[in-house]
Amino acid sequence: MHWTKSMAACALTLSMGVALAARGQTAPAASNQSNLADWWKNAVILEIYPRSYQDSNGDGIGDLNGITQRLDYLKSLGVDAIWLTPIYPSPQVDFGYDISDYEGIDPQYGTMADFDKLMDEANKRHIRVIMDMVMNHSSDKHKWFLESRSSKKNPYRNWYVWKDGKGETATDKGAPPNNWRSGFGGSAWEWDPTTRQYWYHKFYTEQPDFNWNNPKVHQAFKDIIAFWLKKGVAGFRFDAITTLFEDPQWRDESPVLDKNGNPEKGPDGQIELNDTQTNNLPAVHDVMKEMRASADKGFKSATYPGTRVFIGETYLPNIAELAKQYGTADHPEFHLPMDTQILAINKMDAVAFRTRLNDVETGIGNNVPLLVFDNHDNPRIDARYGDGVHNEDIERVIATVLFASKGTALFYNGDEIGMKTTPPERKEDVKDPVGRAMWPFYKGRDGERTPMQWDDSANAGFTTGTPWLPVPPTYKAVNVEAEQGKPDSMLTWYQNLIEMKKSNPALAQGTDLMVDTENTRVLSWLRQAPDGTQVLVTCNFTADPQTVNLSGGGVKGMQAKTLLKSPAGSEPGSLDKVDLPPFGVWIGQVQ
Ligand code: NOJ
């Protein structure tokens, strides 16, 4: 999804092994046991959209056993952890982000036994499993909401956000309480004729928001989090976390103004609204501190020892707001709030990328950055950065920025083979409801959710049935089997970058220092490890060949050993003259 203003918030020791073994599970093994507490700091995390990953039973929908079948592939990629988008029971209005039972598995995806098997098999391969945690809203079919809407006096009434309308009479429901809009279009308020009040939903009508002013909601989620931690999951990605609270005075959102002071209109002709009353309210920090403290108590005990990460879906306007999401040393919040500002650049602009990388190097203290370039809500890299001619080269540049800069890297399934965004061509084919509601201005998120392309057999090896979303026509050439072991393939590029990120001391632990900083066409940076190892990375952001001088500054040498270069690139003789083909990349270790 392209989140516009109005759509915003659109480790470890033997004791862990003993504790898990007691429950029939194994601790994720690692090459260096003493580093287990820090496993997440230079990790590679893959987002898996289970519905589209691998179908094992021919119903056209990906499932948990399908993911288990593909674990050896994930191991060969070098991923440390997989984040699964929601697999809980759900009416699937928002494909799992409308949860009707937080402690179960949707039958479409399998059973709890399938989940336990996935965990066991992943652990054997040293791959951790991260769950999605949706605390902003539930499904309208969740038993808590069914209770809540049954009567104003029901004990669950206050678990959700209910409000009187404006100007209601005995015969007329009046108007919604204010002008707040759903991230998916239309009013954020839905009238309930039985109890004659409106419920608030930041997202679909079927996703009523929880009332986070109610301490019972806090306790319910601490219990849910503990449930999954006890099962051995490695952490959570907290969905839409910045939207937990709403303005207590229920004030209208103000219009977004253009540079002339006039209200801006969106592509659908509606006036765009700011989201200051419904997004990033300070109380969210208190909730995250509380959730983290509760989970950390468990981390430090025999209940669920080891570091389990808190990842935040944090669409924020600047580095200062992102920095706050880490919390403080005494009161931590997220280990890894997503840096989506780099995602939002949306064009090959070396200067903008440099600013963002500098921001994370200088603006978040000693915390670990988590750069994000795409996911199941945003068009893939080709659709946002591609020029139609050099798309593969551009995808290599973006992957290089992701894996060769400092921090933990999160990427989306299919990126590693260069899958292309494939939106539906006809409104009647759209599965994501927002794509139908906003057609043709916005076609929804189906385009980035198409089935994983495994091979060139029917349905790309995703299913033997009819896939829930069509397999893109590109699958004949763009697929895992075709790219495996081919030196110039995208898959090999990803595998090489990931392997280097783990094994090269400068890429694993080094600082980022921008070099050749006046260059508006080429983005170059130096990674320097505590042991002095230096690695230079340079990426051409243009369609023209470029030559850069990377010598001087902090670079201790004139020669470098090439670690990785674009297929069409050459080896530089000396660091003062590095030639790059269009959208070319060169990575070298300074000698
Ligand atoms: C963000 C999720 O990534 C998206 O898919 C979902 O629609 C919204 N949050 C609402 O849960």
Side-chain angles (χ1 to χ4, degrees):
M1 172 179 314
H2 177 67
W3 297 90
T4 64
K5 291 193 184 82
S6 66
M7 298 169 88
C10 206
L12 193 116
T13 55
L14 197 57
S15 64
M16 180 186 179
V18 172
L20 289 172
R23 296 194 301 279
Q25 294 173 4
T26 48
S31 46
N32 182 350
Q33 291 286 319
S34 65
N35 276 341
L36 278 171
D38 286 346
W39 70 268
W40 53 277
K41 287 189 175 164
N42 183 49
V44 173
I45 305 176
L46 173 70
E47 176 192 353
I48 291 186
Y49 197 68
R51 197 173 184 83
S52 294
Y53 203 61
Q54 176 69 66
D55 175 20
S56 71
N57 62 359
D59 66 358
I61 294 172
D63 47 46
L64 296 178
N65 288 336
I67 298 172
T68 304
Q69 285 169 17
R70 295 297 183 180
L71 285 170
D72 286 336
Y73 166 71
L74 296 170
K75 180 80 196 146
S76 75
L77 258 179
V79 305
D80 299 294
I82 50 176
W83 146 39
L84 307 179
T85 62
I87 50 173
Y88 316 98
S90 162
Q92 306 288 340
V93 171
D94 193 14
F95 297 109
Y97 284 97
D98 47 321
I99 299 171
S100 53
D101 173 5
Y102 284 82
E103 295 180 0
I105 301 292
D106 192 293
Q108 289 194 346
Y109 300 135
T111 62
M112 195 56 93
D114 297 335
F115 178 80
D116 291 342
K117 178 155 178 254
L118 170 60
M119 289 284 296
D120 285 349
E121 292 297 321
N123 280 341
K124 281 183 199 156
R125 292 164 179 81
H126 312 166
I127 297 172
R128 292 169 164 83
V129 177
I130 296 171
M131 301 289 275
D132 219 308
M133 187 49 58
V134 185
M135 307 204 303
N136 181 68
H137 50 266
S138 70
S139 160
D140 62 342
K141 301 293 179 299
H142 194 292
K143 62 181 181 208
W144 297 335
F145 188 71
L146 296 176
E147 292 276 353
S148 185
R149 71 184 296 179
S150 66
S151 137
K152 276 182 165 167
K153 296 206 174 85
N154 188 283
Y156 285 91
R157 185 68 172 182
N158 201 23
W159 282 50
Y160 292 86
V161 180
W162 291 99
K163 189 98 184 92
D164 290 337
K166 278 184 188 160
E168 183 201 342
T169 65
T171 52
D172 193 298
K173 63 182 184 184
N178 56 33
N179 73 345
W180 296 353
R181 238 183 252 157
S182 151
F184 294 135
S187 171
W189 296 99
E190 184 73 13
W191 172 250
D192 176 50
T194 312
T195 58
R196 301 194 64 80
Q197 276 192 314
Y198 286 83
W199 79 77
Y200 173 68
H201 55 95
K202 181 77 183 173
F203 298 96
Y204 288 122
T205 305
E206 297 87 347
Q207 294 170 298
D209 274 46
F210 284 108
N211 172 15
W212 277 90
N213 294 307
N214 182 346
K216 293 202 167 110
V217 171
H218 293 221
Q219 189 56 48
F221 276 96
K222 284 193 246 181
D223 293 347
I224 291 165
I225 287 171
F227 173 87
W228 290 101
L229 288 174
K230 283 182 199 151
K231 287 194 78 69
V233 305
F236 304 93
R237 170 264 192 194
F238 289 87
D239 180 72
I241 197 64
T242 60
T243 66
L244 293 193
F245 286 90
E246 297 77 40
D247 174 38
Q249 296 174 50
W250 313 101
R251 287 170 291 196
D252 274 358
E253 294 285 17
S254 57
V256 175
L257 302 178
D258 65 19
K259 51 180 187 307
N260 301 318
N262 300 317
E264 248 179 50
K265 287 194 177 156
D268 55 358
Q270 291 236 33
I271 289 175
E272 293 272 320
L273 296 179
N274 288 309
D275 60 6
T276 45
Q277 316 295 1
T278 55
N279 190 19
N280 202 18
L281 272 68
V284 176
H285 292 284
D286 301 332
V287 169
M288 285 319 301
K289 288 185 174 109
E290 184 189 343
M291 294 295 145
R292 178 73 188 269
S294 166
D296 277 0
K297 231 193 281 165
F299 300 160
K300 290 178 192 133
S301 75
T303 318
Y304 32 85
T307 304
R308 319 291 179 93
V309 282
F310 275 27
I311 298 174
E313 190 199 23
T314 41
Y315 286 88
L316 293 164
N318 55 53
I319 194 73
E321 286 301 320
L322 182 67
K324 285 187 203 160
Q325 305 293 326
Y326 290 92
T328 60
D330 291 343
H331 300 289
E333 298 178 34
F334 292 104
H335 298 80
L336 296 167
M338 290 178 188
D339 185 340
T340 58
Q341 288 161 69
I342 198 150
L343 178 155
I345 296 176
N346 272 336
K347 57 180 182 214
M348 293 302 284
D349 178 338
V351 176
F353 271 66
R354 187 177 295 127
T355 305
R356 293 276 78 87
L357 290 183
N358 258 330
D359 269 1
V360 286
E361 185 60 25
T362 57
I364 58 170
N366 290 325
N367 289 303
V368 180
L370 182 71
L371 301 184
V372 179
F373 281 102
D374 63 1
N375 53 37
H376 64 285
D377 292 328
N378 289 282
R380 289 181 182 273
I381 294 160
D382 66 304
R384 292 181 300 115
Y385 292 97
D387 66 354
V389 178
H390 305 90
N391 283 11
E392 276 77 42
D393 298 309
I394 290 169
E395 287 160 22
R396 283 187 166 84
V397 170
I398 298 293
T400 304
V401 177
L402 178 65
F403 294 110
S405 67
K406 191 175 99 175
T408 295
L410 172 61
F411 70 110
Y412 179 45
N413 62 204
D415 285 350
E416 77 274 20
I417 52 170
M419 275 178 62
K420 310 292 178 228
T421 317
T422 315
E425 280 167 14
R426 305 177 318 168
K427 185 178 174 183
E428 54 268 41
D429 296 333
V430 176
K431 297 283 192 302
D432 185 14
V434 65
R436 285 196 298 276
M438 295 192 184
W439 189 275
F441 311 107
Y442 177 62
K443 296 180 175 172
R445 300 165 289 180
D446 293 0
E448 52 266 25
R449 297 177 174 180
T450 57
M452 181 71 185
Q453 297 167 200
W454 295 103
D455 54 42
D456 67 359
S457 68
N459 295 320
F462 164 68
T463 181
T464 53
T466 305
W468 78 281
L469 273 180
V471 173
T474 49
Y475 81 97
K476 285 275 175 197
V478 180
N479 68 65
V480 172
E481 196 177 80
E483 297 185 29
Q484 197 85 263
K486 281 226 179 99
D488 290 352
S489 72
M490 190 66 67
L491 182 55
T492 301
W493 186 260
Y494 268 71
Q495 283 168 323
N496 287 339
L497 282 170
I498 292 172
E499 203 276 322
M500 275 173 22
K501 181 177 175 61
K502 299 290 172 61
S503 60
N504 184 293
L507 293 170
Q509 309 150 27
T511 47
D512 277 4
L513 177 71
M514 295 297 133
V515 294
D516 192 23
T517 54
E518 298 302 310
N519 198 322
T520 58
R521 298 170 181 170
V522 180
L523 177 69
S524 309
W525 67 98
L526 176 72
R527 302 288 312 274
Q528 179 163 311
D531 69 357
T533 308
Q534 291 192 323
V535 168
L536 277 163
V537 186
T538 182
C539 302
N540 181 357
F541 271 57
T542 73
D544 300 315
Q546 303 288 337
T547 300
V548 286
N549 178 354
L550 301 176
S551 64
V555 180
K556 298 189 196 111
M558 283 301 283
Q559 310 294 319
K561 178 176 155 237
T562 297
L563 299 176
L564 192 65
K565 65 177 182 59
S566 292
S570 56
E571 308 253 346
S574 161
L575 286 176
D576 57 2
K577 191 174 173 301
V578 179
D579 295 323
L580 294 165
F583 297 106
V585 174
W586 176 81
I587 306 178
Q589 184 157 329
V590 181
Q591 310 271 282

